[in-house]
Amino acid sequence: MNAASTRETSVAVGANPFSRWAVLALVLIGSALFLALLWMIGTGTGFGSTNDGQAHADGRGLNGYAAMADYLERRGHPVIRARNAGQLDQPGLLVLTPPAGADGEAIEKIVSKRRYAGPTLVILPKWMAFPSGSEQKDAKPGWVNLQGMQPLEWRGFLDDVTVVQGDVDANGKPAHWRGLGGEGTLPGGKYLQSGQGDALVPLVREQDGRTLAAFMDDGGSYPALEEEALGVVRSEPEDEDRYPLVLVFEPDLVDNWGMADRRSAQLVDALLAASELEPEGRVTFDLTMNGFGRAQNLLTMAFTPPFLAATLCLLLAGLVLGWRAFLRFGPPLATERAIAFGKRALVANSAGLVLRSRRLHLIGAPYDDRARDRLIQALALPRSLAPDQAEAAIDRALASRRVEAEPFSAIAARLRHARKSHDLVKAARDLHALERMLTR
């Protein structure tokens, strides 16, 4: 083993192994990753894709409504994909896309709760969809294969309305729809879904008269639904504050498959106008009934208004504290003691306390007593003497040394009766000088 192989680098005790910039980078990156994790947990982002091939606003298959949501966003409508039940009560249009196996009573509860908050558009499911197999070339995530219609029965929701599933037409002609000032052809040429009910007012019909979309004539006053345009006779309105409930029985009118036709996009605008949605009004697509509901918790609320403001203030405070710690980075400096060592510091602190308390006149008598005790000990006088006897003995000792000197008893009396700081200091100095003269 040679000397070069045993060479070691010496590091001073207390030196920092990392530079302050390296520590700053580690802290910032770690804090950013931690905040991102909290945000993902609170919002549910990154924990599985909602593009699962089902019929909802995030579905990108033929049966989904992602194209409709994207179209409305491009038209200037704020589009919300609600994953919390509390978001379903907000003003604006609520679009419900429940699956075939949904609870009808739960749908009725949501619809009834918001009849005075805003219009509701319910799009009924139709297709049995299966994910595209790996053998299908160029298939993208969320794409599906449609394998016929799915039976639908929502007990507890509009039980007086019947959903009819059947073929498009006996003569094999494609389904042609007409209504709300427009017309077009459905993309599918085999199956058709329609609705029947006494309270239904048709908005869109198939060429043979079957109702593809309608609204419920439940006693509300709906100015956007003119009788002249619909060609029907409505009952007298009973509640002018109630918002309309629109039902789309044939989902191919507005799903991704149907939205490939621009006439379907025009129909979407007409349906929103019939629902009395204001221009650039808010549109909320429900995802809770499609299995993407998220319970409200403190972490979720921290990243949603109005609590987001408090979260940002907390983060700003943490940033300020971190910056202060970064500026102090390095070995701590030795700080001075609040109370220094030594008699001089003790006297200075005691004097400062007495001065702040404004009780200077109380220290004259104790100072006199201490001076008298020291002189009794220095002159070898009996300790049993009374204060006046001790002062008389000190006066005699002083007179034997210097006749013209002011007696100790006189100076002591002047010190005890002093009230002003000037008089107190002068008497104390005179007493100190007398004590030095007798103890030399």
Side-chain angles (χ1 to χ4, degrees), residues 42 82 112 114 172 201 289 318 346 394:
S112 301
R114 63 171 287 107
V201 178
M289 304 202 71
L346 180 61
I394 295 173

Side-chain angles (χ1 to χ4, degrees), residues 227-350:
E227 297 180 6
E228 294 79 2
L230 299 176
V232 297
V233 178
R234 293 185 53 210
S235 60
E236 292 295 328
E238 299 176 357
D239 192 346
E240 297 183 355
D241 296 330
R242 185 178 297 176
Y243 285 90
L245 169 62
V246 179
L247 304 172
V248 178
F249 295 98
E250 178 50 71
D252 288 345
L253 290 171
V254 294
D255 59 13
N256 295 337
W257 198 6
M259 288 292 288
D261 189 343
R262 62 179 299 179
R263 292 173 294 184
S264 293
Q266 295 171 350
L267 177 60
V268 169
D269 291 331
L271 286 173
L272 264 62
S275 302
E276 298 187 356
L277 180 67
E278 299 179 356
E280 299 184 358
R282 169 175 172 166
V283 180
T284 302
F285 285 86
D286 171 53
L287 294 179
T288 62
M289 304 202 71
N290 301 98
F292 298 105
R294 184 175 62 242
Q296 193 82 353
N297 53 59
L298 294 179
L299 189 57
T300 303
M301 295 172 62
F303 291 96
T304 54
F307 304 102
L308 179 61
T311 303
L312 294 178
C313 291
L314 182 62
L315 294 178
L316 184 60
L319 181 62
V320 172
L321 291 177
W323 180 249
R324 290 289 301 271
F326 172 71
L327 294 180
R328 185 202 171 278
F329 183 81
L333 299 177
T335 57
E336 296 182 357
R337 289 179 54 86
I339 300 178
F341 293 108
K343 296 180 179 179
R344 183 183 298 275
L346 180 61
V347 172
N349 291 330
S350 301

Side-chain angles (χ1 to χ4, degrees), residues 327-407:
L327 294 180
R328 185 202 171 278
F329 183 81
L333 299 177
T335 57
E336 296 182 357
R337 289 179 54 86
I339 300 178
F341 293 108
K343 296 180 179 179
R344 183 183 298 275
L346 180 61
V347 172
N349 291 330
S350 301
L353 178 62
V354 174
L355 183 63
R356 290 180 62 86
S357 63
R358 299 181 182 275
R359 295 294 187 268
L360 292 175
H361 62 281
L362 299 179
I363 64 176
Y367 189 86
D368 169 46
D369 294 339
R370 291 296 299 161
R372 184 175 61 249
D373 292 341
R374 289 194 296 271
L375 288 175
I376 289 175
Q377 183 178 3
L379 298 176
L381 297 177
R383 294 181 177 274
S384 59
L385 293 177
D388 55 344
Q389 295 176 348
E391 292 180 0
I394 295 173
D395 288 344
R396 290 193 296 271
L398 178 62
S400 63
R401 296 190 181 187
R402 184 175 296 180
V403 179
E404 69 279 7
E406 184 179 7

